[in-house]
Every structure is written in structure tokens, then in C-alpha cells.
Amino acid sequence: MISSVFFVFSVILSSSYAAMQDFCVADYAAPQSPAGYACKDPAKVTVDDFVFSGLRVAGNISSINKIGLSAAFAVNFPGLNGLGVALVRADFAVGGVVPIHSHRDATELVILVEGTVVAGFIASNNKPYVKTLNKGDTMVFPQGLFHFLVNVGDAPALAYASFSSANPGVQTLETALFQNNLPTEIIAKSTLLDTVQIQKLKRLLGGTN
Amino acid sequence: MISSVFFVFSVILSSSYAAMQDFCVADYAAPQSPAGYACKDPAKVTVDDFVFSGLRVAGNISSINKIGLSAAFAVNFPGLNGLGVALVRADFAVGGVVPIHSHRDATELVILVEGTVVAGFIASNNKPYVKTLNKGDTMVFPQGLFHFLVNVGDAPALAYASFSSANPGVQTLETALFQNNLPTEIIAKSTLLDTVQIQKLKRLLGGTN
Amino acid sequence: MISSVFFVFSVILSSSYAAMQDFCVADYAAPQSPAGYACKDPAKVTVDDFVFSGLRVAGNISSINKIGLSAAFAVNFPGLNGLGVALVRADFAVGGVVPIHSHRDATELVILVEGTVVAGFIASNNKPYVKTLNKGDTMVFPQGLFHFLVNVGDAPALAYASFSSANPGVQTLETALFQNNLPTEIIAKSTLLDTVQIQKLKRLLGGTN
Amino acid sequence: MISSVFFVFSVILSSSYAAMQDFCVADYAAPQSPAGYACKDPAKVTVDDFVFSGLRVAGNISSINKIGLSAAFAVNFPGLNGLGVALVRADFAVGGVVPIHSHRDATELVILVEGTVVAGFIASNNKPYVKTLNKGDTMVFPQGLFHFLVNVGDAPALAYASFSSANPGVQTLETALFQNNLPTEIIAKSTLLDTVQIQKLKRLLGGTN
Amino acid sequence: MISSVFFVFSVILSSSYAAMQDFCVADYAAPQSPAGYACKDPAKVTVDDFVFSGLRVAGNISSINKIGLSAAFAVNFPGLNGLGVALVRADFAVGGVVPIHSHRDATELVILVEGTVVAGFIASNNKPYVKTLNKGDTMVFPQGLFHFLVNVGDAPALAYASFSSANPGVQTLETALFQNNLPTEIIAKSTLLDTVQIQKLKRLLGGTN
Amino acid sequence: MISSVFFVFSVILSSSYAAMQDFCVADYAAPQSPAGYACKDPAKVTVDDFVFSGLRVAGNISSINKIGLSAAFAVNFPGLNGLGVALVRADFAVGGVVPIHSHRDATELVILVEGTVVAGFIASNNKPYVKTLNKGDTMVFPQGLFHFLVNVGDAPALAYASFSSANPGVQTLETALFQNNLPTEIIAKSTLLDTVQIQKLKRLLGGTN
């Protein structure tokens, strides 16, 4: 009783690989391509590949920045692979800060669901765009630009940040400069920071050289 | 004292249009292009173009689907234009439903922040992927596929949905079919639905013909 | 006598993988990526990978929709992989219908080569765009929107549909809803269709639950 | 009786510019952008913008190549703008030829609906892929590569070619070289063709210098 | 004598807007779109729109970083608009430095044509990739990541940098932080830099607050 | 002492595959995808993958075109894979010529660093854009169009050409037509060239048939 319109398209769409056209659940064990992870055999894909529970609870609050960050990125949420979206949960302690960072390939859209934060980004002509956000406000940080959030309220804050990439690169200024073995002299020359400042932050963050 | 490296790049980047390279805040009055709205003169852009408060409060709960939806799309949040992200706040009454719909150009990533919902999508081989989500769970609905959420708890629910497009088209099955003047006979032939059913829903939703 | 300009570029372009830059013939046995199938070794590619004869004859006419559909998609025509085009042949019996469906990632451009059909699509603001097409007419259905074709002539009709994707996903309303095990109660809540209607079409199309 | 789910999305989607998200019908009078033509005011868009009748009849058969070509491109079919598909109808007289050409930004997928042609493309490593096509066969010419079709049957032939671009650039070897004022000496040096040959074809095709 | 194949395509391709499909020379006076500048009327385009002489001579050497930078970006070279390439000439005095910066939307490929420099980039896991480049060497800095070049030779150096964007945003760490009115307290919290350091560099670079 | 903000993101970004998000160094031994080569295991990537010395010296000057061309393409410079940029060094002897060619997927931006050349491209409406370039001039050749460079000075010339693709296909007119076994009769019909001319160039360039 099933008509051939269904049959013909079924031939096309019910083969194991056809479903891949709808999604490409990450197979972390296979080599990647410039477009992302290889696809898991669609026959082995289940609904659990599209559901992620890692944002249920707050991340550990860091001692330095007083921020807990939990991410749902393609790197840990396989269903996102190839689909161009990702999500972060940010739990701010009082005084908590998301330090200045950028995403190499993604715009970020943040919604503050609890608390009061000062948020901002810096355009490539050096102009800052800064605003105090209240509960329910959203702010967009255009792709590739420095941005930050600072909890300026007297209570914890909670925000969700979504991204226009399934695996937004995060380059945080303080760790990019000071949590590796890039020689102090090179950092000094290419940032104008003082050697003493660089060495102090390398010690704090675990950098060497 | 400002070095010419800054000067030279300043020439490039401080002209009024240079800032446009970082963002393209929507000018709703000018003609659009296939890539989105025209850009507001960067000299007139302020931080308020990048901040949106329309999601602070719940949308009105509908009498039929018992759902309140509020959107931060490029169409009402100008800073999103061209940046490939958008956000919706969904407030579910008890029994509230986000009816089956699809987005012509966007993947959706939903996070449930309150309540318990059954969520799902249907792949193009007709296979449904359905799961009960609890507080804090996220689920991804791949681009262009039917999906839905049903509040199955005994309390209101709240979710945020982010999108891989600044203006994700929303095509809702029930309104696309029954809230216009598409002739009943054509709907019947092209969906196999009964004429009586079609006419009933046209009356409910305001369709004619 | 061959000049080194040819030689130098030959080094680049005559290696087995260099040809891959021009095309990526599908290797169905290897894992896919979000960008499509893996590429067959270019040394094994022949002209036959770029030619497809599956549209020579009409597809079987279905008993329900009286339509025969044959597809040249990357899933069965390996030369299309990665190239962003595909083709369908649609043979309409008298009264034949291409039921309401959408493509998750493709615009469709149809040309009617025999017969008279009513064709249309529904925009995301629910507005239908419907027209009677005569022999030789073309119509475009923008990406991701519901569309349909109904043979309203008293003779068979024939159309070719081309797509802006090598593997356009096809989501047909009637099979997406009624040819699987999605529970009737969920369908009812998320479409407003009556339970009796849903059960009737599940029986017709092979759905359960 | 209309629920607010429809109302809220209606606010978003029923403004005149909202429909633009589904399509961007070309406004030929306004300045273009790198993404294509500006969009016509959606309030003035009708179904006729999406339907084109220019392919109903054969194009004039040329005296030199014995081919008639008619195109449905965004440049003359406004509904295609921004949607990444286009179509050409090719009517071959006996002995008719589509001369060697390439498309700067599009793959071509041709279906032969009448006749017998030899078709082929040349890869960037100079390897030709050539095949005799019979009625109903399709062949794909990957983006940017030289390709051609020659009617080798003893009857007229008819083909439709679809493209992965709404306005595929056509660069035909013989007219690009010989139908302009590019100096003969430059052509000779940069093609190795003889001066006499160049001058002969310039005379035939209307070139100067 | 001109055949209709040329005629038909001429209709398509010789209208003033048809040429636009090949290029979109920037019209700086018109509103931009997310895809770049609006296109100049093709009838007014000349070869001079595609040629740029601004890189003939070295840029002024800055007193701080001892570097002269000259750019051929779509913002000053209109023919690049929409085409995804750009070029910078970097003249290094002895000890000259291209300070740490990133491009929001572009990969950079540098070729050193004179001198010896240390060049490097920092990945998003904080790992630096650093190398001494000699005359003729090229190095690639992937999109959106911090990178720098330091002249370590005892003579001037000269490099050309090409980009995968027609208008690569340049965000230089030292000016983004210290050449604006972003409050010192916010910088301190979101970078861990000391207040004294921040104030010193604000004075040097012209920042306030 | 390392804060959890660093820890959490470290979990994401320090896994071996996470670095892949920043780059995808080519693994030439694995199957390719439509997006390019597969990625080398990031744990085995070193700075040398991002540095290429193949452009240090001039390529061999060809006897026919008197041009030496050396390329840094993803096919021989693995760090470029997926990043959308590439580079060619062109050494012109006196009278040297880069023959007419096109790139199937890339715009070219050339900078002349020594000498005087005539450079040009031909638009798809057959209009040539030709200019004499002097030392330091740059010229852009839009994607997919025929272009050429001729050394018209009395000394050698040197140019660098950058591309908006990591592996720009090069289709050179003279070798595409005459350095293979495409039958003379087909070439004649599809180019209008004389048989004698075709046979002469096939002999010169090594073609057959």
C-alpha cells in the first residue's frame, strides 16, 4: 500500500549513509577534515547523540577569575558536529570575570539569566562597546573580536552564551600570553608589556621562559 | 608618540566604513541583499545596537498551544545582522507545546532551564529522534528538519533556543497549512489529509478557501 | 620540448591527489565528513563517474500519489559529491501529485517539459505562492520551504527539478508524520490534527503507535 | 482565537522585510552587493517573480555553432537571486555545438532529453573526460573547468543544464579570445596560437586589433 | 556573422549588470551589506579599479615598533571587494616588530623577501608555533589566532602578507587594550595585568581612563 | 594556582583533536573530503608544517614561455589545508609569459616586485581589462576568469601571486587544449580553431589524436 513516491525516495534516503545528509554525528576516533569530525555510521546514531547533560550543573568556580565555565561544543557533544552552533554556561561568583578572549571563527550571543554584569567588546579600530547587562538582557560579540564580562553585582550571576560555530576556538589573552613557553623577550617586544609584568603573570599562570 | 603602525592601520580602520568590517548593524529602512540587511552608518552605531532587552520577560502564553515565544532575531535586534546567531525564549504553560516546525536555514540548539519537556526531530528518512529533557539538558535539531517540544511536566517550563542564523525562518506546520487561503482541495491532495480535518483547522486558525 | 611552466604546474597538478582539487567523486565505503562523502582515489576515477543513466526512464508510478520520482543525487551519482547540484525526474500520471515537502538545504528549480501542473510554495509568514505551469515554464521554490505540484491536466506530465545541493534532503509532510512510530498523542499535540485523522493516515502509510 | 504563538512569530515574520529572509527577488534598479542583486520590497513580490516562461521555445539557432541557447539566470529571472540555482535550455541543430567554455563560479549538470551528443570536460591536469550521451543521460561538469557538447547524431538534440549558481558566469573560449580588442600580439604570446589563426577568428567573430 | 550563441549569451552577459557577476568593485558612497561594499555601476568600472599602486614604496617606519605597514584592502583598493584576498607590505627597520594581533576573519600567509625575522602564532590551547624565517620563506598564521613577527637580523627586512579576506580585520593587542577609554579597572580584571602597567601603556599609546 | 576557567577550557582545547579546530594540517596519505585533505594528528603537528621554503629560489625558466613558476599550495605545503590562501612565485625571463589560464575556485592578487609586465583579464562579456604594471603595483584577477602576464621590459621580472584558495586549480588554455588526447576534430568544432593550428600545437606540447 506504500506508494512508490515513498519507495523511490526511500531508496535514496533510507540507506545507512543517506541519513548523513541530515547530520554528521562526530566520530572522534577517525581523522578530521577541514569541515570538522568524520561522521559516525548513521546506523549507530541514537537520540542520545543529540542530547547533552553537561550543562546541568555549574562548572567549578576558578580561584583566579571566580568563574565556572561549562561548554557544549562539538568536541564533547558529538551531535553538534557540522551544524554551526554551540553553547557555554557561565557561572559567576561575586566578582567573577570572563577574561578578555576572542573566538577565531564565531560570533557569541550571550543571555544573562541571573545577576548584573558589565560586558563589552573592542572593535578593530580599538573602540570599546561596553554596557551593564541586567537579568534577561542579551548582547552580541561579533566574530573574532576581544570581549569580556565582569560580575559587578553583589550576588552570583549566570549566563548562557551561544556561538555561530560548532567548535568556537577560544583564545584567552592572559593564557595565550602567559601560560606557555613563549620567551619573555618576544612577548615584551610584541606587546610592549614590561618584563617584570610578564614574568609575574607567567608565574601565576604556569608559563615558563 | 603614536607609532605609524597604529597610524597606518588607523587610516584603514578608523574611516567610518572600516568599522563595518567588524559588524553590519541592520538599517531596516534600506533595501536588503541576499546576505541580509544593509548596514547602518558605523558612525551612528552605539553599544545599544548590540544589546537587546526583549527577552527579559515571558511572552504572552497562547490560548491554543499554551506557549509564549519571544525572539531576538536580526529582524528586531539589529546588531545580529550578518553574524549568524539568534535566540528565542520559550515559556511553556503546563501542557504547553512548541508545535512542529522547521527552520529553512538554521540548526537549533535548545537548553531547558526549567521543567520537563519531550523534544524531538524527524529525519528525512522519517525516523524520529525523541527524548525527555530535564532541567539543564540541551538538544540539537539539525537544520531544516521538523522538530517540536511538549511540556510533559506538571509545572511551567522555560527554554532558550539558539540558532545558526541571524534570522532563522520559522515554518510551522499548522499555520503554513491552515492559516492562509491555500485551497482545501490542494491541501488535501498534497497532504492526504481529509477535507473535514482541513476545514476544521482552517476555522480554528483563521484560514480561508 | 615541454616548457617548465608546464612541468612545474604538472608537479603540482599531476599527482594522484591533485585532480581531487577539481572534483571529489564519492567513495561510499569510507566515512563521510560534514562536507560530504570522502573522495575516491583520483587515479581510479573515470568519465563514468560523471555520467548517470538512471533518469532515462520514468520511475514507477505510485498508487497513492500517482507520481514516479527518480533522483540523481550524490547518494547514487558519485560524481556530484561536493559540487552542489542534483536533479530529479518527476513523471506524473493523470492526477499525479508531488506531495508537500521541503529540502533542508536546497532551493529547487523545476521545469515542466510536458503537461499542466499547479505548483506552489508557502513562505514562512504562511503566504502561499501558487501558479499554474504550462509546458516549458520554470518555477523556483526557495530553500527550506514547503512546496508541491499537482497535475491538473488530463494527460500525464513530466518535469525535471534541479537543486542547489548535491544531496538535497527531502522531508515529505505525510511520511514524516505518518510513516514512523512517533506517538499519535505527540503528533496530535504538536500539529492540532485529530487523533482519528492521524490514525487513519498511519494505517495508510505504514506508521505505528 | 489565534494563539499568541502565531501572534509572536507573526510580529517577526509578517513585517514587510521579514519575508526577505525566505527569498530576495532581484531589484535590478538598485545597486548590487557581492552577494547579488538588492531585494525587491517583499510587499510587491508576487508569484510571477518565481515563474519564468522564457524557456518555452527554442532559442534562435546560430549560424556558426548551430546551437540555440536560452537562459533562466538571476539576471533575467528575478526570483533566482541569492538562491544558487539557474537553468539553460540548449537546442542543437544537426551538427550543433556548445563551444568550449567555463563557469567562473558554478558546476553544471546537464540532462540530454533528445538526441545524441558527445560531451566532455578537461581537468586542471589537462586530462579530458569525454562520453557519448544518449537520451535521458546526465553528466556533471565540475566548477570552473572547460567543457563542451557536440551533437553527433543525425537529428536535432535538446538538453537542459542546471547550475550551482543563480548567475553562472559563462566564459566561452572563442569569444573571450576573438570577440574583443585584445591585441593579436598579446593573444599570440599568451596562447601560442599563430597570428594568422587569431586574425582569421577575429574577423569571423567581430574582434579587432 | 555573429552567431546567436553569442547573441543569446550576450543578452545575458553584456547588460551593464551582467558584468557584476564577475566582480563587484566597491562603491564607497553607498550603504554596505554583510557581504561587503555595494558595487559600482559596471559601466563605470575601468582597469584602474583592479590595479593598486599604494604598495610601491615603504610605509613610514613607526617610532615605537619600527615597522612600516601599507595595506591593499577592499577599504582602499576597490577591485578587491567581494573577492576574498588582500595584501600588506611590511617594512621592518632593524629591531622592527609587527606586534601581536589577530584577524577576525582571515588567515595570513606571509613571505619574507628580505632579512631574517622570528615569526609565530599561538594556538587556542596556548601552544606557540615559532620559527626563524629566512629570505624566501613563507609561513601561515591560521585564522583568528594571535601572531607576530620580530626582525632579529642586523638589517632591515621586507615581507608581504596575503589574506583570505578582502578586508581582514586587524586587532592589535596593545592598541585594543591601551589606545582607547576602556577603564583601567576593567582591563585589570579581565587581563590580570597590573594597574601600573596598564596606565603606563595608556600614556604611551594615547589611551584614557 | 591555575584557575578553573583555564582548566575547563583546557579540557576542551588540549585534547589532541581540539587543536584541529585552529588548523587542519594535510595528511596526504588519508582520503580527502570535498573540503580538502584529512587532518594530520594534531599531536604530531610542528611549526615546520606551517613554514615552507620552496619559494626561496626561482623556478626553472621554461624554454617556451620563458617563465619559472613555483607554488606554495596545500598540495605541497600541508599547513595551508583548509585555510583558503596560497602563493605562487613567478620568475620571468626577458620576454617571459604567464600564458592565459584561469583558476576554477580562486581570485588571484599579484604584486610585481621587479620589472615591467603587461597584465590583464577577460570578463565573461569578453571585455578585456589590461594594464602595464610597474614595480610595486598589484592587480587583482577575479575568480574563474582568463588572465595572463607578459614581461614587456628589457630585464627579468619577478612577481608573487596570492590566491583565495588553498589549492587553486590552474587551467592553462594551451595545455588544456593541446597537451592531451582530446581528438583534433572535437577541439576544432568546439573552438573554431583550424585543424592545422591544432595539430601544430599538439606536436609542440605533446598532445596526441
Side-chain angles (χ1 to χ4, degrees):
Chain A
M1 196 58 112
I2 308 306
S3 76
S4 73
V5 54
F6 311 127
F7 176 73
V8 171
F9 276 159
S10 290
V11 167
I12 296 166
L13 295 167
S14 69
S15 83
S16 68
Y17 281 112
M20 254 193 85
Q21 308 305 126
D22 292 337
F23 44 74
C24 172
V25 173
D27 174 356
Y28 299 121
Q32 295 188 36
S33 80
Y37 293 100
C39 308
K40 188 175 172 178
D41 178 349
K44 296 180 181 167
V45 168
T46 71
V47 67
D48 291 329
D49 290 307
F50 301 104
V51 177
F52 182 73
S53 297
L55 305 190
R56 283 189 180 178
V57 295
N60 283 331
I61 300 293
S62 95
S63 55
I64 293 182
N65 288 309
K66 298 177 186 160
I67 189 81
L69 296 171
S70 308
F73 285 4
V75 76
N76 59 347
F77 180 3
L80 293 184
N81 188 43
L83 294 178
V85 279
L87 199 63
V88 161
R89 170 183 178 154
D91 291 271
F92 298 74
V94 175
V97 175
V98 177
I100 286 185
H101 65 285
S102 62
H103 304 280
R104 68 167 178 256
D105 66 338
T107 287
E108 177 177 337
L109 177 55
V110 70
I111 181 160
L112 184 68
V113 296
E114 287 299 335
T116 304
V117 305
V118 167
F121 70 88
I122 304 168
S124 59
N125 63 357
N126 302 323
K127 181 173 175 181
Y129 292 82
V130 181
K131 183 87 175 182
T132 299
L133 305 183
N134 293 301
K135 181 175 175 173
D137 287 347
T138 68
M139 184 169 184
V140 61
F141 306 125
Q143 176 177 324
L145 300 179
F146 283 143
H147 56 283
F148 58 86
L149 300 100
V150 179
N151 183 358
V152 295
D154 51 11
L158 174 62
Y160 293 100
S162 47
F163 300 88
S164 64
S165 162
N167 229 18
V170 179
Q171 185 150 55
T172 302
L173 189 150
E174 61 201 35
T175 54
L177 293 183
F178 307 122
Q179 200 169 85
N180 56 36
N181 64 356
L182 191 61
T184 295
E185 188 187 353
I186 285 184
I187 301 175
K189 282 187 176 166
S190 60
T191 62
L192 302 181
L193 293 173
D194 291 334
T195 296
V196 169
Q197 174 74 89
I198 295 166
Q199 289 171 332
K200 177 179 171 184
L201 288 172
K202 276 185 172 269
R203 279 193 304 272
L204 179 69
L205 295 169
T208 56
N209 279 11
Chain B
M1 196 59 114
I2 308 307
S3 77
S4 74
V5 55
F6 310 127
F7 176 74
V8 171
F9 276 159
S10 289
V11 168
I12 296 166
L13 295 168
S14 68
S15 83
S16 68
Y17 281 112
M20 255 194 84
Q21 309 304 127
D22 291 337
F23 45 74
C24 172
V25 172
D27 174 356
Y28 299 121
Q32 296 188 35
S33 80
Y37 293 101
C39 308
K40 188 175 172 177
D41 179 348
K44 297 179 181 167
V45 169
T46 71
V47 66
D48 292 329
D49 290 307
F50 302 105
V51 178
F52 182 73
S53 297
L55 304 191
R56 282 189 180 178
V57 295
N60 283 331
I61 300 293
S62 95
S63 57
I64 294 182
N65 288 309
K66 299 176 186 160
I67 188 80
L69 297 172
S70 309
F73 285 4
V75 77
N76 58 348
F77 181 3
L80 292 185
N81 187 43
L83 293 179
V85 280
L87 199 63
V88 161
R89 170 183 176 153
D91 290 271
F92 298 75
V94 175
V97 174
V98 177
I100 286 185
H101 66 286
S102 62
H103 304 280
R104 64 164 185 257
D105 67 338
T107 287
E108 176 176 338
L109 177 57
V110 71
I111 181 160
L112 185 68
V113 296
E114 286 299 336
T116 305
V117 305
V118 166
F121 70 88
I122 304 168
S124 59
N125 65 356
N126 303 323
K127 182 173 175 182
Y129 292 82
V130 182
K131 183 88 175 182
T132 300
L133 305 183
N134 293 302
K135 181 177 174 171
D137 287 345
T138 69
M139 184 168 184
V140 61
F141 306 126
Q143 177 178 324
L145 301 179
F146 282 144
H147 56 283
F148 58 87
L149 299 100
V150 179
N151 183 357
V152 295
D154 50 12
L158 174 62
Y160 294 100
S162 47
F163 299 88
S164 62
S165 162
N167 229 18
V170 180
Q171 185 150 54
T172 301
L173 189 150
E174 61 201 35
T175 54
L177 293 183
F178 307 122
Q179 200 169 82
N180 56 37
N181 64 355
L182 191 61
T184 295
E185 188 187 353
I186 285 184
I187 301 174
K189 282 187 177 166
S190 60
T191 62
L192 304 181
L193 293 173
D194 291 334
T195 296
V196 169
Q197 174 73 89
I198 295 166
Q199 290 171 331
K200 177 179 172 185
L201 288 172
K202 277 185 173 268
R203 280 192 304 273
L204 178 68
L205 295 169
T208 56
N209 280 9
Chain C
M1 195 56 114
I2 309 306
S3 76
S4 73
V5 54
F6 310 126
F7 176 72
V8 170
F9 276 160
S10 289
V11 167
I12 295 166
L13 295 167
S14 68
S15 83
S16 68
Y17 281 112
M20 254 192 85
Q21 308 305 127
D22 291 336
F23 45 73
C24 172
V25 173
D27 174 356
Y28 298 121
Q32 296 188 35
S33 81
Y37 293 101
C39 309
K40 188 175 171 177
D41 178 350
K44 297 181 182 165
V45 169
T46 71
V47 67
D48 292 329
D49 290 308
F50 301 104
V51 177
F52 182 73
S53 297
L55 305 190
R56 283 188 181 179
V57 296
N60 284 329
I61 300 292
S62 95
S63 57
I64 294 181
N65 289 309
K66 299 176 186 161
I67 188 82
L69 296 171
S70 308
F73 284 4
V75 76
N76 58 347
F77 181 3
L80 293 184
N81 188 43
L83 293 178
V85 280
L87 200 62
V88 160
R89 169 185 178 152
D91 291 271
F92 297 74
V94 175
V97 174
V98 177
I100 286 186
H101 66 286
S102 63
H103 305 280
R104 65 165 181 256
D105 66 337
T107 286
E108 177 177 337
L109 177 57
V110 70
I111 181 159
L112 186 68
V113 295
E114 288 298 338
T116 305
V117 305
V118 166
F121 70 88
I122 304 167
S124 59
N125 64 357
N126 303 322
K127 182 173 176 181
Y129 292 82
V130 181
K131 183 90 175 178
T132 300
L133 304 183
N134 294 301
K135 182 176 174 172
D137 287 346
T138 68
M139 184 169 185
V140 62
F141 306 127
Q143 177 178 323
L145 300 179
F146 282 144
H147 56 284
F148 58 87
L149 300 100
V150 179
N151 184 357
V152 295
D154 50 12
L158 174 62
Y160 293 100
S162 48
F163 299 88
S164 64
S165 162
N167 228 19
V170 180
Q171 184 150 55
T172 302
L173 188 150
E174 62 201 33
T175 53
L177 292 183
F178 307 122
Q179 200 169 83
N180 55 36
N181 65 356
L182 191 62
T184 295
E185 187 187 354
I186 285 183
I187 300 175
K189 281 186 177 168
S190 60
T191 62
L192 303 181
L193 294 173
D194 291 333
T195 297
V196 169
Q197 174 73 90
I198 296 166
Q199 289 170 333
K200 177 179 173 185
L201 288 172
K202 277 185 172 266
R203 279 192 304 272
L204 178 68
L205 295 169
T208 56
N209 278 11
Chain D
M1 196 56 115
I2 308 307
S3 76
S4 73
V5 55
F6 310 125
F7 176 73
V8 170
F9 276 162
S10 291
V11 167
I12 296 166
L13 295 168
S14 68
S15 83
S16 68
Y17 281 113
M20 256 193 85
Q21 308 305 128
D22 291 337
F23 44 73
C24 172
V25 173
D27 174 357
Y28 299 122
Q32 295 188 36
S33 79
Y37 293 101
C39 309
K40 189 175 172 177
D41 178 349
K44 297 179 181 166
V45 169
T46 72
V47 67
D48 292 329
D49 290 307
F50 302 105
V51 177
F52 182 73
S53 297
L55 305 191
R56 282 188 181 178
V57 296
N60 284 330
I61 298 293
S62 96
S63 56
I64 294 181
N65 288 307
K66 299 176 187 162
I67 188 81
L69 297 171
S70 309
F73 285 4
V75 77
N76 58 347
F77 181 3
L80 293 185
N81 187 43
L83 292 179
V85 280
L87 199 63
V88 161
R89 170 184 176 151
D91 291 271
F92 298 75
V94 175
V97 174
V98 178
I100 286 186
H101 65 286
S102 63
H103 304 280
R104 62 163 186 260
D105 66 338
T107 286
E108 176 176 337
L109 176 57
V110 70
I111 181 159
L112 184 69
V113 296
E114 286 300 337
T116 305
V117 304
V118 167
F121 70 88
I122 304 169
S124 58
N125 64 359
N126 303 323
K127 182 173 176 180
Y129 292 82
V130 182
K131 183 89 176 180
T132 300
L133 304 184
N134 294 301
K135 182 177 174 171
D137 287 345
T138 68
M139 184 168 184
V140 61
F141 306 126
Q143 176 178 324
L145 300 179
F146 283 145
H147 56 282
F148 58 88
L149 298 100
V150 179
N151 183 357
V152 294
D154 49 12
L158 174 61
Y160 293 100
S162 47
F163 299 88
S164 63
S165 163
N167 228 18
V170 179
Q171 185 150 55
T172 302
L173 189 150
E174 61 202 34
T175 53
L177 293 183
F178 307 122
Q179 200 170 82
N180 55 36
N181 64 354
L182 192 61
T184 295
E185 187 187 354
I186 285 184
I187 300 175
K189 282 187 177 167
S190 61
T191 62
L192 303 181
L193 293 173
D194 291 335
T195 296
V196 169
Q197 174 73 91
I198 295 166
Q199 289 171 332
K200 177 179 173 184
L201 288 172
K202 276 185 173 270
R203 280 192 303 273
L204 178 68
L205 296 168
T208 56
N209 280 10
Chain E
M1 195 57 115
I2 308 306
S3 75
S4 73
V5 54
F6 310 125
F7 176 73
V8 170
F9 275 159
S10 289
V11 168
I12 295 165
L13 295 168
S14 69
S15 81
S16 68
Y17 282 113
M20 256 193 83
Q21 309 305 127
D22 291 337
F23 45 73
C24 173
V25 173
D27 174 357
Y28 299 122
Q32 296 187 35
S33 81
Y37 293 101
C39 309
K40 188 175 173 177
D41 178 349
K44 297 181 181 164
V45 168
T46 71
V47 67
D48 291 330
D49 290 308
F50 302 105
V51 177
F52 182 73
S53 297
L55 305 190
R56 282 189 181 178
V57 295
N60 284 330
I61 300 294
S62 95
S63 56
I64 294 181
N65 288 309
K66 299 176 187 162
I67 187 82
L69 297 171
S70 308
F73 285 3
V75 77
N76 57 348
F77 180 4
L80 294 184
N81 188 42
L83 293 179
V85 280
L87 198 64
V88 161
R89 171 184 176 152
D91 291 271
F92 297 75
V94 175
V97 174
V98 177
I100 286 185
H101 65 286
S102 63
H103 305 281
R104 62 164 185 260
D105 66 339
T107 286
E108 176 177 338
L109 177 56
V110 70
I111 181 160
L112 185 68
V113 296
E114 287 298 336
T116 305
V117 304
V118 166
F121 70 87
I122 304 169
S124 59
N125 64 357
N126 302 323
K127 182 174 176 180
Y129 293 81
V130 181
K131 184 88 175 181
T132 300
L133 305 183
N134 294 301
K135 182 176 174 172
D137 287 346
T138 69
M139 185 169 183
V140 62
F141 306 126
Q143 177 178 323
L145 300 179
F146 284 143
H147 55 284
F148 58 86
L149 299 99
V150 179
N151 183 358
V152 295
D154 50 13
L158 174 61
Y160 293 100
S162 47
F163 299 87
S164 63
S165 163
N167 228 18
V170 179
Q171 185 149 54
T172 302
L173 189 150
E174 61 202 34
T175 54
L177 293 183
F178 306 122
Q179 200 169 83
N180 55 35
N181 64 356
L182 192 61
T184 295
E185 187 187 354
I186 284 184
I187 300 175
K189 281 187 177 168
S190 61
T191 62
L192 303 181
L193 293 173
D194 291 334
T195 296
V196 169
Q197 173 74 89
I198 295 166
Q199 290 171 330
K200 177 180 173 185
L201 288 172
K202 276 183 173 269
R203 279 192 304 272
L204 179 68
L205 295 168
T208 56
N209 279 11
Chain F
M1 196 56 113
I2 308 307
S3 77
S4 73
V5 55
F6 311 126
F7 176 73
V8 171
F9 276 161
S10 291
V11 167
I12 296 166
L13 295 168
S14 68
S15 84
S16 68
Y17 281 112
M20 256 193 84
Q21 308 305 127
D22 291 336
F23 45 73
C24 173
V25 173
D27 175 356
Y28 299 121
Q32 296 187 37
S33 81
Y37 293 101
C39 308
K40 188 175 172 177
D41 178 349
K44 296 180 181 167
V45 169
T46 71
V47 68
D48 292 329
D49 290 307
F50 301 104
V51 177
F52 182 73
S53 297
L55 304 190
R56 283 189 181 179
V57 296
N60 283 331
I61 299 294
S62 95
S63 56
I64 294 181
N65 288 309
K66 299 177 187 158
I67 188 81
L69 296 172
S70 308
F73 284 4
V75 76
N76 60 346
F77 181 2
L80 293 184
N81 188 44
L83 293 178
V85 280
L87 199 63
V88 161
R89 170 185 177 152
D91 291 271
F92 297 75
V94 175
V97 174
V98 177
I100 286 186
H101 66 286
S102 63
H103 304 280
R104 66 167 181 259
D105 66 338
T107 287
E108 177 176 337
L109 177 56
V110 71
I111 181 160
L112 185 69
V113 296
E114 288 298 336
T116 305
V117 305
V118 167
F121 70 88
I122 304 168
S124 59
N125 63 358
N126 303 323
K127 181 173 176 181
Y129 292 82
V130 181
K131 183 89 176 180
T132 299
L133 305 183
N134 294 300
K135 182 176 175 173
D137 286 346
T138 68
M139 184 169 184
V140 61
F141 306 126
Q143 177 178 322
L145 301 179
F146 283 144
H147 56 283
F148 58 87
L149 299 101
V150 179
N151 184 357
V152 295
D154 50 11
L158 174 62
Y160 293 100
S162 46
F163 299 88
S164 64
S165 163
N167 228 19
V170 179
Q171 184 150 55
T172 302
L173 188 151
E174 61 201 35
T175 53
L177 293 184
F178 306 122
Q179 200 169 83
N180 55 37
N181 63 355
L182 192 61
T184 295
E185 187 188 355
I186 285 184
I187 299 174
K189 282 188 177 166
S190 60
T191 62
L192 303 182
L193 294 173
D194 292 334
T195 297
V196 169
Q197 173 74 90
I198 295 166
Q199 289 171 333
K200 177 179 173 185
L201 288 172
K202 276 186 174 268
R203 279 192 304 273
L204 178 68
L205 296 168
T208 57
N209 279 10

